[in-house]
Amino acid sequence: MNINDILTPVITLGGLGLIFGAILAFASTRFAVEKDPRVDEVREALPGANCGACGYPGCDGLAAAIVAGKAPVNACTVGGAASAENIGAIMGVEAQAGEKQVARVLCQGSLEVAAQKYKYVGIESCAAANALGGGSKACGYGCLGLGDCAKACPFDAIDIVNGVAIVDEEKCTGCTVCVAACPKGIIQMVPQSKRVVILCASLDKGKLVRGYCKVGCIACNICVRKCPEDAIVLENNLAHIIYDKCTNCAECVDKCPTSSIKNYNEVCTEQQAAAL
Amino acid sequence: MDAGRLFYIVVSGILVNNFIMSRFLGICPFLGVSKRVETALSMGIAVTFVMGMASVVTYVVQYALLEPLGLEYLQTIAYILVIATLVQFVEMVIQKTSPTLYQALGIYLPLITTNCAVLGVTLLNMQYQYNLLESLVNGIAGALGFTLAIVLFAAIREQMDFAPIPESMKGFPIALVSAGLMSLAFLGFQGLVK
C-alpha cells in the first residue's frame, strides 16, 4: 500500500476544487451584477418559511416581486403586521397589514359525538379516506381526523384531538396551507378578533344532522333570531356568521341547542385551565 | 480528420442514440419542463450550451490531469465538479453580459447542474475515446437530440391538454405513456448508422 495512492487523488481533487472555487469567487466579484439591495433587505424582513402562501415560489420570489412592485408590501400573511411594517419601511410606503387570520376547522364531531359509517383501517390520510365513500364519518362534511392538515401545516399548529383537527391559534400564522390540504374543504380563515365561530359545515337537513352528530348545526334558526346584530344568516341548512357585523357578544353561543357555536374566548380559557 | 466520422457522430447523437429516447438520460428535465414548447426550447438551448462546454472542459481535465496521474477512476466525481462549476460560472457570465439571455434561460440554467445527460455525454466521450473536436461535436449533437426530444414531447403535451383523457390517466400517467411511445418511434432510427 503506497501512501501516494491516497495522497495523489486527494490532492488532485482537492486542488481541482480549490481552483474551481477560486475561479467562481473571482467570477462572482468580476461579474457581480448590481442588484437592488432592497431585495435582500425585504428578504430579511420576511419570515423565511418558504410556505408559498403568497403564491410566489418561496420568500426570495416574494421579495423580488415586492421590490419590483408586483406584490403589495403586506403580501405575506405569515409575517403579518410586523413584517409588513418592516417591508413598508424599506420600500418607503405606509404598510396596511391585514388583520391576522387564523384557520378554523369547522367541525367538532369528535369520536364520541359523531357517528361512524364504517371502520376505516386504510392509510393515514384524509384524502385516501375521503376517496372511500367520503370517509368513515356518517356526516359527509365532518373532519376525518387523519391529519392531512396537521401534516401540511408548516408551523406545526394543528393537532388531531379525539378525531378532530384543532388549530393552535398562537402558532397559526394564517398561511392557508391547511385550507388547501383539507379534502373536505372545512377549514376556513377567520379574522382572529372574531371569537364566535359556528363550527359545523354540514349542509344536510336538520333531522339528518341530528341523526349522526350531537354537535352539528340543525338549522333551527334560533341563533339567527337571537342575534342582536343580525349577523347570522341561514343558508343551505347551515347558519353562517357575517364576520363584519359580529360583535363577539356571544349571545348565540348559549342559545344554540346543539352547542355547535363556539366562543373561542372560552375555548382558550378552557385550554389554559387544562394545561394547568 | 474525416468529415464522414463527424457526420456519423451528429446523426448518431441526434437520432440513433438520442439521449432521452434511447439512452434514457436526462429524463427528469424531460418530464419536468416539457409542459410548454417555449420553456422546453429554452431548456434545450441551455443544455446545448452547457453540454458543448462540458465536453471540452472535461476532455482537458481527462487528458491533462487525470490520465497523466493515473487517476481515471476519479472521472465521475471530477466531472461532476467540472460541470457544477461550469454551470455556475456560465450563469454568472450570462447574468452580467446578457440579461436578456439570462431572463430567457432563467431557472433552467442551474437546473442543468443535476442533469445526468450532461455527465453522461462527457463520460461517453471518454468511453468512445473521441478526440477534442469529436467530443465537442458529440456534446452538441447529443444536446440537440435532447432539445429535439423535449420540444416534440412538449408539443404533444400541449395538444394533450385538449384531449379527452380518462380521469385516472390525466397528468403524469398519460405523459409517461406518450414518452414510451415516442421512445418506440425513435427506436426506428436504430440501424441508420452502424
Side-chain angles (χ1 to χ4, degrees):
Chain A
M1 182 78 210
N2 192 344
I3 189 73
N4 280 338
D5 288 348
I6 300 170
L7 277 183
T8 329
V10 168
I11 292 170
T12 314
L13 262 195
L16 212 56
L18 212 64
I19 294 168
F20 285 152
I23 292 175
L24 283 186
F26 169 73
S28 71
T29 48
R30 172 74 178 73
F31 295 105
V33 174
E34 289 293 320
K35 213 168 65 169
D36 197 327
R38 289 180 303 175
V39 175
D40 285 332
E41 286 175 37
V42 171
R43 173 67 190 76
E44 283 300 306
L46 289 168
N50 289 321
C51 65
C54 52
Y56 289 91
C59 296
D60 285 324
L62 179 61
I66 289 177
V67 174
K70 287 187 199 138
V73 292
N74 62 354
C76 180
T77 49
V78 177
S83 88
E85 222 167 85
N86 289 338
I87 296 168
I90 297 165
M91 296 297 295
V93 277
E94 197 67 29
Q96 291 223 321
E99 203 202 326
K100 187 188 169 187
Q101 306 259 326
V102 289
R104 300 286 193 209
V105 181
L106 303 185
C107 180
Q108 307 186 85
S110 58
L111 296 174
E112 295 96 45
V113 295
Q116 304 272 322
K117 269 192 297 209
Y118 62 88
K119 193 164 164 38
Y120 178 75
V121 288
I123 49 172
E124 284 273 301
S125 153
C126 306
N130 193 32
L132 279 178
S136 59
K137 281 223 166 98
C139 171
Y141 307 89
C143 172
L144 298 175
L146 294 166
D148 279 13
C149 51
K151 277 170 227 148
C153 180
F155 304 95
D156 201 19
I158 305 182
D159 281 317
I160 305 296
V161 181
N162 219 352
V164 175
I166 306 281
V167 179
D168 185 333
E169 263 185 69
E170 296 300 312
K171 288 186 190 162
C172 179
T173 59
C175 73
T176 74
V177 169
C178 54
V179 175
C182 179
K184 290 287 187 190
I186 55 167
I187 305 182
Q188 193 185 37
M189 302 310 296
V190 176
Q192 195 178 22
S193 63
K194 299 300 175 188
R195 310 304 300 169
V196 178
V197 183
I198 298 174
L199 293 181
C200 182
S202 170
L203 304 179
D204 284 335
K205 288 231 164 65
K207 200 175 166 217
L208 211 58
V209 175
R210 215 189 268 279
Y212 57 60
C213 182
K214 288 181 189 150
V215 290
C217 172
I218 52 171
C220 64
N221 219 17
I222 291 177
C223 53
V224 177
R225 277 186 281 123
K226 293 290 177 193
C227 180
E229 308 290 333
D230 290 331
I232 305 182
V233 287
L234 205 61
E235 251 174 39
N236 298 326
N237 301 315
L238 179 62
H240 295 271
I241 293 181
I242 302 164
Y243 291 111
D244 287 342
K245 288 187 187 169
C246 177
T247 57
N248 293 335
C249 71
E251 193 78 21
C252 51
V253 177
D254 300 330
K255 299 291 187 302
C256 179
T258 58
S259 10
S260 63
I261 310 181
K262 217 29 169 215
N263 182 352
Y264 270 95
N265 283 331
E266 281 172 20
V267 175
C268 285
T269 27
E270 269 171 36
Q271 274 170 358
Q272 279 154 10
L276 291 171
Chain B
M1 170 51 41
D2 72 301
R5 189 168 156 76
L6 288 185
F7 182 70
Y8 160 78
I9 293 173
V10 170
V11 174
S12 157
I14 296 181
L15 296 175
V16 184
N17 291 320
N18 187 293
F19 266 97
I20 293 173
M21 291 306 166
S22 74
R23 289 200 206 278
F24 306 111
L25 291 172
I27 299 292
C28 151
F30 177 65
L31 290 171
V33 284
S34 59
K35 287 223 174 73
R36 283 175 52 235
V37 172
E38 285 158 47
T39 49
L41 197 60
S42 309
M43 183 70 184
I45 294 168
V47 168
T48 312
F49 201 67
V50 172
M51 265 199 187
M53 289 195 66
S55 294
V56 174
V57 179
T58 50
Y59 183 88
V60 174
V61 169
Q62 173 78 10
Y63 290 109
L65 192 69
L66 297 183
E67 213 136 275
L69 292 171
L71 297 174
E72 288 92 342
Y73 60 91
L74 286 179
Q75 240 183 13
T76 311
I77 191 164
Y79 288 5
I80 292 174
L81 202 61
V82 168
I83 293 166
T85 314
L86 198 63
V87 172
Q88 287 289 321
F89 184 73
V90 166
E91 192 188 356
M92 281 191 254
V93 173
I94 292 182
Q95 195 175 12
K96 180 73 176 178
T97 52
S98 169
T100 19
L101 184 62
Y102 182 75
Q103 283 284 327
L105 294 181
I107 183 78
Y108 304 116
L109 209 48
L111 271 181
I112 300 167
T113 322
T114 51
N115 186 341
C116 57
V118 180
L119 183 63
V121 82
T122 55
L123 288 173
L124 285 171
N125 282 341
M126 301 311 148
Q127 203 178 323
Y128 293 151
Q129 304 195 317
Y130 286 153
N131 63 29
L132 183 58
L133 183 63
E134 285 168 341
S135 297
L136 176 64
V137 170
N138 188 40
I140 291 175
L144 287 179
F146 176 91
T147 313
L148 178 72
I150 198 170
V151 169
L152 286 178
F153 190 54
I156 293 177
R157 284 183 84 173
E158 276 190 1
Q159 292 296 312
M160 247 155 22
D161 286 346
F162 305 105
I165 300 165
E167 192 63 37
S168 57
M169 289 295 285
K170 271 184 186 156
F172 267 108
I174 194 74
L176 287 171
V177 171
S178 338
L181 290 175
M182 258 185 92
S183 176
L184 274 180
F186 266 77
L187 200 65
F189 291 115
Q190 265 341 303
L192 195 64
V193 292
K194 62 171 170 38

